[in-house]
Amino acid sequence: MVDIDMSALALLYDGRCTVLQETNSEGAAGWLSERGQQELWRDVPCHLVLEQAQPAAATAGAAELSARGKLFLAADYVIPAGCSVVVRQQGREYRLGLSGMPQVFAAHQQIAVALLSERA
């Protein structure tokens, strides 16, 4: 088995992310009354790779941008599917939604993400 140096792998993380999980509150009658977000993790070292970036879609106003990608971070963080993630990397901020099921490995995890619609 290959011994992985975690500190060497951490050098590849050039971004920081905040992970938010959707929450639901029920009213007295048991009905869904309020939706919100709870912060699970803050300032987690990570690396975001955007792939399958589509050309900007023409709309009546500004063009819409969309892309899919993968988020890489340490395996220590439990991140359920369906979370929202805000990544700050190389001077830019990316708002990602609907994270996929994490693929967890010995030294890291990969999570499929989708860039929330932006306007150019």
Side-chain angles (χ1 to χ4, degrees), residues 3 5 26 33-34 41 58 64 67 69 82-83 91-92 100 110 117:
D3 185 23
D5 184 0
E26 289 185 5
S33 64
E34 188 174 316
W41 304 104
E64 282 194 22
C83 288
R92 300 188 82 178
Q110 300 175 26
S117 290

Side-chain angles (χ1 to χ4, degrees), residues 2 10 13 21 33 60 66-67 97:
V2 177
Y13 298 146
Q21 184 176 29
S33 64
S66 65

Side-chain angles (χ1 to χ4, degrees), residues 78-95:
V78 177
I79 300 175
C83 288
S84 298
V85 184
V86 178
V87 175
R88 291 166 308 286
Q89 180 173 288
Q90 298 176 357
R92 300 188 82 178
E93 184 173 287
Y94 302 93
R95 295 190 176 278

Side-chain angles (χ1 to χ4, degrees), residues 13 73-78 104-109:
Y13 298 146
L73 61 150
D76 304 337
Y77 301 95
V78 177
V104 182
F105 301 97
H108 76 287
Q109 63 182 308

Side-chain angles (χ1 to χ4, degrees), residues 30-86:
W31 294 92
L32 178 64
S33 64
E34 188 174 316
R35 296 186 73 173
Q37 290 186 323
Q38 172 186 353
E39 188 175 279
L40 291 180
W41 304 104
R42 174 184 283 273
D43 205 32
V44 175
C46 65
H47 179 72
L48 174 65
V49 176
L50 292 176
E51 47 194 41
Q52 298 179 353
Q54 303 294 325
T59 61
E64 282 194 22
L65 305 173
S66 65
R68 296 183 186 271
K70 286 204 178 186
L71 182 65
F72 297 84
L73 61 150
D76 304 337
Y77 301 95
V78 177
I79 300 175
C83 288
S84 298
V85 184
V86 178

